[in-house]
Amino acid sequence: MSKRTKENADAGQPARGPLSRVELQLALLLRRAERTAAVRAAHTPALERSGYLLLQVLSTEGPLGINALAECQGLDASTVTRQVVSLEKAGFARRSRDPRDGRAVQVEATPSGEAQLERERSRRRSMYDQILADWSPTERALLASLLERLNQDLDAYRRDPDE
């Protein structure tokens, strides 16, 4: 029996097996994280999640083309283009011609975008510091490691779901 088959065999109690619990807890996590962030912000955030994630990449990687940004985010280039337009309108990013290839466009974070990204990072860290206040440093580190691994595996699955 393959590893995948063993794990899927939530024998006798499918609603209580590990994979069923993972699926349900992830669904709840995503909904609660979004709802908690919105409530705690007490206003419409100036930087939505999609913009936050794009600015994270630009801050780390520097200027990138739309296709490279799309690949980093696991999104379609047309979706990223819409998100970049939104960031541009807010003054958080700018598009310019790629100096290596004048036909291509690159996107970079503006100083205002970098500042907004840092404010958002700070707000989010503060929120999770409160939420995880009763967790030990070891538990926090373990959660971070497991979430990183889950995200890496989700990316690998997205690239080749049949593997």
Side-chain angles (χ1 to χ4, degrees):
M1 184 182 283
S2 76
K3 184 167 133 182
R4 193 180 282 176
T5 304
K6 275 189 218 173
E7 286 295 318
N8 283 330
D10 291 340
Q13 306 224 353
R16 290 191 184 157
L19 290 179
S20 294
R21 290 174 50 217
V22 166
E23 180 278 323
L24 175 61
Q25 293 305 314
L26 281 173
L28 290 169
L29 171 70
L30 294 171
R31 183 180 68 195
R32 287 178 178 151
E34 289 294 318
R35 185 179 64 209
T36 301
V39 167
R40 297 298 283 190
H43 66 282
T44 304
L47 189 57
E48 294 180 1
R49 180 175 30 105
S50 60
Y52 173 75
L53 293 172
L54 283 178
L55 284 175
Q56 285 272 44
V57 171
L58 293 172
S59 178
T60 303
E61 302 294 327
L64 291 172
I66 294 290
N67 289 333
L69 271 173
E71 177 62 28
C72 288
Q73 298 294 298
L75 297 171
D76 183 77
S78 64
T79 300
V80 170
T81 298
R82 286 191 300 277
Q83 293 171 350
V84 166
V85 167
S86 181
L87 287 173
E88 278 184 304
K89 286 180 181 176
F92 298 152
R94 72 175 145 255
R95 285 186 280 187
S96 59
R97 291 281 168 210
D98 186 330
R100 296 170 304 236
D101 179 356
R103 299 167 296 167
V105 172
Q106 67 179 16
V107 181
E108 65 182 317
T110 63
S112 177
E114 292 281 355
Q116 183 64 30
L117 175 62
E118 188 49 44
R119 283 190 293 276
E120 184 65 14
R121 277 183 187 146
S122 178
R123 184 187 70 75
R124 288 170 181 242
R125 276 193 305 261
S126 176
M127 180 183 72
Y128 283 108
D129 186 45
Q130 290 175 35
I131 292 168
L132 301 175
D134 293 335
W135 293 42
S136 71
T138 301
E139 290 170 321
R140 288 178 178 205
L142 179 59
L143 176 62
S145 293
L146 291 172
L147 289 171
E148 288 167 353
R149 181 176 174 188
L150 177 60
N151 277 311
Q152 291 166 358
D153 289 346
L154 286 168
D155 282 344
Y157 180 81
R158 177 185 50 83
R159 286 190 297 274
D160 190 6
D162 292 329
E163 195 169 284

